[in-house]
Amino acid sequence: DNEIKKGGFFSSDYVLFTVETNPNGWSVQRKDADFFTLRKLLRLHNPHVLAPPLPSKSYKWTDKGLTKRQK
């Protein structure tokens, strides 16, 4: 799931993606930048494992664009 949050006085709008874990059933919200940081750390600590590239950061926050990005 995703949700567009309005930025404050010094920040712009951003998208929060909801990530659910199994079997614990935890539900957390993460920004796009969190996924880029996670991938960077995974590649740093596990250079022998292939990590698929993430979609480029685009600011087209349409329903179609967000659904594609979410996959």
Side-chain angles (χ1 to χ4, degrees), residues 1-3 16-20 26-30 35 70:
D1 197 19
N2 56 57
E3 178 182 354
L16 284 177
F17 293 97
T18 302
V19 179
E20 296 180 4
W26 295 339
S27 179
V28 295
Q29 292 186 324
R30 298 289 182 234
F35 294 104
Q70 192 172 346

Side-chain angles (χ1 to χ4, degrees), residues 23-40:
N24 297 332
W26 295 339
S27 179
V28 295
Q29 292 186 324
R30 298 289 182 234
K31 289 182 176 182
D32 247 1
D34 295 333
F35 294 104
F36 282 95
T37 303
L38 174 63
R39 183 176 186 275
K40 185 175 164 182

Side-chain angles (χ1 to χ4, degrees):
D1 197 19
N2 56 57
E3 178 182 354
I4 298 175
K5 291 284 193 175
K6 297 293 181 190
F9 188 68
F10 293 107
S11 64
S12 60
D13 297 351
Y14 57 93
V15 179
L16 284 177
F17 293 97
T18 302
V19 179
E20 296 180 4
T21 61
N22 290 321
N24 297 332
W26 295 339
S27 179
V28 295
Q29 292 186 324
R30 298 289 182 234
K31 289 182 176 182
D32 247 1
D34 295 333
F35 294 104
F36 282 95
T37 303
L38 174 63
R39 183 176 186 275
K40 185 175 164 182
L41 289 172
L42 287 172
R43 291 186 68 206
L44 178 68
H45 294 289
N46 302 299
H48 57 282
V49 177
L50 294 175
L54 295 174
S56 65
K57 289 185 179 182
S58 69
Y59 296 103
K60 296 180 181 178
W61 295 336
T62 62
D63 288 335
K64 183 180 177 182
L66 288 174
T67 302
K68 182 179 177 183
R69 187 164 189 79
Q70 192 172 346
K71 289 180 183 181

